[in-house]
Amino acid sequence: MTQRPLSGLERVWLAADRMAPPFVNQCVLTDLPAFDTARLEAAVARAAAVHPGVCVRLCGRLRSLRWDADGPPPRFTTPADPAWAAPDERDAPWLRTPLDPRKGPVCEIVALQGATPATRHIIIRTHHAALDGRGTQLFVEDLLAAYAGEAVRGAESGPTYDLDLARTHASKPRAEPPADAASPTGASGPGDAHLWRRVTLPKLPSPVLPRVLLALAQAARAQGATGPLRIGLPVDLRRYTPDLRASANLTGVAPLTLPDPLPSLDALRVLVDAAAAGPDAAAHVLAADTLRGTPVWLMALAGRLAAPSLRRKGRYPISASVSNLGRHAYALDGHPIAAFWIPPPSPGLPLFMSTCGNASALELCAGSPAGVGGDGRLDALLASMVEALQ
């Protein structure tokens, strides 16, 4: 039976799940043609057979915690009469269903067979402590291939884990950034409820991520944000082993404090590339490894106590995490389809944004605690970003 140790960073995501459940990756395939639900369910089973990472469960305790690939297969659900058009979190209770890392399943597929392409969605949900975004993407790719009757490639669930990759690219853990960074909305207050908003833009010219970061910084200043703007950049450590197909959490985070005044697009591109290629993301994994003996309940308690203080002061270690999930060419029955990723809730992070695109569009999805993004502040931030990007 395949196993891998629970990494320190996966322990952090378990604590995040206790603080603000569910802490899950949620990939929403949308703008779909009518699809065959039975055929989709069979495709889920076929893809899961070569992706043991969607069938793991958590075993052991403290430092002996591990993922065993003997858990239940993905859950398949079909809510009745969906009319949700996927602009935000409202009227979508299926997005709040927890995934149990101990009992499983750690993966769920929600099939929404609406009356129009805008209300048809296939949502792939994975527990973030079990899989990261790229690991989930590998499963999504094989799910669509299985639905089309094509070959599936599969991905391992272990024994590779983040420490294996990080140790070869960082020599020591990095310190957590100081809590001096501004909230992009320029305001903080009580309220942990998770808000998110999705906007769709025409395809942007390269480089996409630096353009988005510049627009975010400009929008934050327009919203009244003062002080440093520090971005958390998720970096896929699979870049160090390009042939590796694995679904574990193999992502570290590199902090990038944006210069003030803001740099040119070309200069920011250099900074982003340097942050991704540097040792900070791997050093983040090494730092998290020091937590492997810490009880998850204690980590969650510390997070719950810290979040209100951060909001009262209006200062955070990271202003925003921006996860770039790249450009895809997904299709269903020969029809090109769209996809976007809903950021998981994080009370101690004022903004979590995902970007991904296809041949014709860019999807932005941004989430924040209600105390930070409520009262129209998240909407205003995104509207300002859209204006800057068009």
Side-chain angles (χ1 to χ4, degrees):
M1 179 176 60
T2 302
Q3 297 179 342
R4 77 170 188 269
L6 178 78
S7 77
L9 206 50
E10 289 174 335
R11 186 180 290 269
V12 172
W13 305 149
L14 284 176
D17 189 54
R18 291 198 184 188
M19 288 174 58
F23 197 77
V24 296
N25 305 294
Q26 301 197 92
C27 175
V28 183
L29 306 179
T30 188
D31 295 332
L32 307 180
F35 55 87
D36 185 322
T37 303
R39 181 177 154 199
L40 177 63
E41 187 171 12
V44 169
R46 185 176 167 218
V50 293
H51 284 263
V54 299
C55 303
V56 297
R57 65 184 181 91
L58 195 62
C59 300
R61 59 188 301 273
L62 294 177
R63 289 191 67 87
S64 69
L65 279 169
R66 67 185 187 278
W67 294 107
D68 285 352
D70 64 350
R75 182 168 59 221
F76 187 83
T77 59
T78 55
D81 301 323
W84 183 61
D88 53 45
E89 78 284 349
R90 290 168 288 196
D91 302 318
W94 45 82
L95 299 176
R96 297 189 292 273
T97 305
L99 297 175
D100 189 331
R102 283 263 182 198
K103 297 179 181 178
V106 296
C107 177
E108 178 183 42
I109 284 72
V110 181
L112 301 173
Q113 188 68 272
T116 65
T119 57
R120 294 188 196 112
H121 316 286
I122 299 170
I123 307 170
I124 297 89
R125 311 176 70 237
T126 62
H127 199 294
H128 205 325
L131 296 90
D132 65 4
R134 180 55 185 150
T136 305
Q137 275 185 319
L138 294 173
F139 178 68
V140 172
E141 291 164 7
D142 272 350
L143 170 59
L144 292 173
Y147 186 84
E150 299 170 353
V152 292
R153 300 180 63 190
E156 69 161 67
S157 65
T160 306
Y161 73 123
D162 56 9
L163 209 57
D164 295 329
L165 304 180
R167 281 173 171 155
T168 63
H169 290 85
S171 58
K172 60 182 181 181
R174 71 163 172 81
E176 180 77 1
D180 62 353
S183 161
T185 63
S188 296
D192 282 342
H194 183 54
L195 310 175
W196 63 263
R197 301 290 184 266
R198 168 201 174 200
V199 295
T200 305
L201 293 166
K203 182 179 70 173
L204 296 182
S206 182
V208 172
L209 180 58
R211 288 182 189 277
V212 170
L213 295 183
L214 274 181
L216 171 58
Q218 292 164 0
R221 295 304 188 207
Q223 289 284 99
T226 59
L229 290 171
R230 184 176 299 117
I231 307 299
L233 296 175
V235 178
D236 184 0
L237 303 184
R238 295 170 184 82
R239 64 193 291 140
Y240 303 136
T241 311
D243 294 333
L244 177 66
R245 290 180 60 84
S247 63
N249 279 279
L250 301 176
T251 300
V253 178
L256 173 62
T257 301
L258 299 180
D260 191 11
L262 292 172
S264 67
L265 179 64
D266 288 341
L268 182 54
R269 181 178 194 170
V270 171
L271 293 175
V272 170
D273 289 347
D280 278 351
H284 178 227
V285 171
L286 298 186
D289 188 59
T290 63
L291 299 170
R292 285 179 64 196
T294 307
V296 172
W297 68 265
L298 184 59
M299 294 168 60
L301 177 62
R304 288 193 191 102
L305 294 175
S309 175
L310 295 172
R311 285 203 298 273
R312 281 195 302 271
K313 297 174 182 176
R315 288 291 182 263
Y316 302 82
I318 297 291
S319 301
S321 182
V322 182
S323 180
N324 181 17
L325 289 139
R327 185 174 293 175
H328 61 81
Y330 297 155
L332 196 72
D333 278 338
H335 297 268
I337 61 175
F340 70 95
W341 293 73
I342 301 171
S346 185
L349 179 66
L351 184 72
F352 194 161
M353 178 175 288
S354 70
T355 74
C356 72
N358 55 26
S360 60
L362 175 73
E363 294 280 357
L364 299 180
C365 190
S368 69
V372 178
D375 297 325
R377 294 192 296 270
L378 181 58
D379 300 276
L381 183 78
L382 282 171
S384 184
M385 286 186 66
V386 168
E387 184 177 357
L389 288 167
Q390 288 179 333

